[in-house]
Amino acid sequence: MLLMSSSTESFLELLGVLLIFLFVLVITWLATRYMANFQKSKNAGNNMQVIETISIGNGKYLSLVALGEIYLVVSVGKDEVHLISKITKEELPNCVTEDAFGHTESFQQLLQRTKEKLGNNSDKKE
């Protein structure tokens, strides 16, 4: 009888620890979601947007930043940011995407193909 109450107490302690652990996980998840939404709303702007960033070395990046109608290419290092070039929208090279099979096509071609598929699907429904 004494052994039974000891195992019951141990089980209840384990259950309590698991509940506390789950509570901490939920609180952590909620705090992370709140901070992500806070940062997203804080960084949301209409005039400046990072279009693309690529790594060129350990802690060094090239970024394409849109400022209204002007695009800036900047190099970003650990302690510094340098302007590389200013580009207008007309000077930007065509956007090219690569699918999982290695085929490349411009965004314009991809958009046209999607429009054609959507057009064919709507024709079949009628």
Side-chain angles (χ1 to χ4, degrees):
M1 183 87 164
L2 184 60
L3 184 62
M4 192 68 130
S5 67
S6 175
S7 64
T8 304
E9 287 178 17
S10 295
F11 178 73
L12 290 176
E13 283 183 28
L14 176 65
L15 193 60
V17 169
L18 285 174
L19 286 175
I20 291 171
F21 178 70
L22 288 174
F23 177 73
V24 169
L25 279 178
V26 168
I27 294 297
T28 304
W29 179 74
L30 289 173
T32 303
R33 296 233 353 174
Y34 171 76
M35 290 304 294
N37 288 334
F38 176 75
Q39 289 292 340
K40 194 183 300 182
S41 66
K42 185 178 177 183
N43 290 336
N46 295 332
N47 296 322
M48 189 166 82
Q49 181 180 8
V50 177
I51 304 296
E52 190 173 346
T53 300
I54 60 170
S55 175
I56 57 172
N58 190 14
K60 298 182 188 321
Y61 302 92
L62 276 179
S63 294
L64 179 63
V65 180
L67 293 170
E69 295 293 320
I70 298 173
Y71 292 85
L72 304 175
V73 178
V74 294
S75 67
V76 181
K78 183 177 178 182
D79 296 326
E80 70 277 342
V81 176
H82 297 283
L83 176 65
I84 302 295
S85 177
K86 289 183 183 180
I87 303 172
T88 63
K89 192 171 186 174
E90 293 79 28
E91 294 173 326
L92 277 177
N94 290 335
C95 176
V96 176
T97 59
E98 182 174 354
D99 64 11
F101 303 106
H103 302 112
T104 59
E105 59 184 330
S106 70
F107 179 76
Q108 186 68 29
Q109 293 168 332
L110 184 64
L111 181 64
Q112 186 63 33
R113 190 172 50 135
T114 305
K115 283 181 181 179
E116 290 171 2
K117 283 183 182 179
L118 290 175
N120 291 339
N121 288 340
S122 65
D123 292 342
K124 290 177 185 176
K125 291 179 182 178
E126 293 177 358

